[in-house]
Amino acid sequence: MPMRFQPKISSVRNKSLRRLFRTRLGVEWGTYITKLKSGKRRGPAQEPGISSAPLSNRLLLGLPPEEFTLLSPELEAFSFRSRQRLHEPGSEVEFVFFPSEGTVSVVLELHDGRSLEVSMVGKEGCVGTAALLGMKSVQLGATVQVPGTGFRIRAEVIRDRLSATPILQMLLARRAVAENLQASQIAACTRFHRIEQRLARWLLVCRAKTGVERLPFTQEFLAEMLGAGRPSVTLAAGALQKAGVISYNRGTVRIESTSKLEAAACDCYRAILESETELGDC
Ligand SMILES: [Zn+2]
């Protein structure tokens, strides 16, 4: 049986931890439990501020209370803005980010200006895994694609506390494996599958990670994500729209038919989502 992240909600009952949730995370314990059990989203992106940040990042929720309390005083609420750059290739990673909503693209950028998304991070993971596992800098960029809220923490802080947080170590190692599998799948997809299939795959993975039907859409943006030229993306999107699979305008795309979108995609989206589920959650 694959292991899944299970928030240890039943064991978090003492007063100090309830106070910590209220004072540091701005989340009343009762509200937190209600939302956790119902699985409901808090709504659209909100302004930065600890008092308005939902805590639904599954990696953080997967920590036992004793490990969470070691990190929580240093967690800062963070608002992810569309196209915001979180990490620059080759630069030292200052912060690690834990999205509660939205998604972040981890992108390989070549010297000639071309780029390719190698993994997509949502509330199941964090941005900066490599930095936490020993590398101070990474050769990958990270850009917000779907805005939302979440938390950030200084990389040096979390590295210093890693030896005292074995469950976090295990979860990060799983995330590293999941990201590696995702990058491998995308490499094969980019080499062997048509642009229409890749576009459909990207939309399905993005929707699975965000739970929203309307997604960001510009030819330039998708060309960067898919490693394709803008004319190819335009043609692919036009073909999908003509077939009644999607509709798009004003920078957003709407999925009109999930079954048609799945039929249009290659199997890579299933492989990506299934590997995440096997390794923890998605
Ligand atoms: Zn594919």
mmCIF file of all heavy atoms in Angstrom, residues 189 193 266 268, ligand 1:
data_model
loop_
_atom_site.group_PDB
_atom_site.id
_atom_site.type_symbol
_atom_site.label_atom_id
_atom_site.label_comp_id
_atom_site.label_asym_id
_atom_site.label_seq_id
_atom_site.Cartn_x
_atom_site.Cartn_y
_atom_site.Cartn_z
ATOM 1 N N CYS A 189 8.316 13.073 -22.976
ATOM 2 C CA CYS A 189 7.125 13.658 -23.592
ATOM 3 C C CYS A 189 7.514 14.697 -24.650
ATOM 4 O O CYS A 189 6.968 14.727 -25.754
ATOM 5 C CB CYS A 189 6.256 14.290 -22.497
ATOM 6 S SG CYS A 189 4.660 14.873 -23.079
ATOM 7 N N HIS A 193 6.252 13.161 -28.088
ATOM 8 C CA HIS A 193 4.818 13.431 -28.252
ATOM 9 C C HIS A 193 4.558 14.778 -28.912
ATOM 10 O O HIS A 193 5.338 15.715 -28.779
ATOM 11 C CB HIS A 193 4.114 13.333 -26.894
ATOM 12 C CG HIS A 193 4.174 11.949 -26.319
ATOM 13 N ND1 HIS A 193 4.127 11.677 -24.974
ATOM 14 C CD2 HIS A 193 4.288 10.733 -26.944
ATOM 15 C CE1 HIS A 193 4.200 10.362 -24.774
ATOM 16 N NE2 HIS A 193 4.314 9.782 -25.963
ATOM 17 N N CYS A 266 -1.361 12.762 -24.148
ATOM 18 C CA CYS A 266 -0.626 11.508 -24.061
ATOM 19 C C CYS A 266 -0.778 10.971 -22.633
ATOM 20 O O CYS A 266 -1.302 11.661 -21.754
ATOM 21 C CB CYS A 266 0.852 11.760 -24.386
ATOM 22 S SG CYS A 266 1.536 13.207 -23.557
ATOM 23 N N CYS A 268 1.320 10.719 -20.445
ATOM 24 C CA CYS A 268 2.309 11.279 -19.523
ATOM 25 C C CYS A 268 1.652 11.949 -18.316
ATOM 26 O O CYS A 268 2.198 11.935 -17.214
ATOM 27 C CB CYS A 268 3.209 12.273 -20.250
ATOM 28 S SG CYS A 268 4.223 11.499 -21.522
HETATM 29 ZN ZN ZN B 1 3.664 12.930 -23.288
#
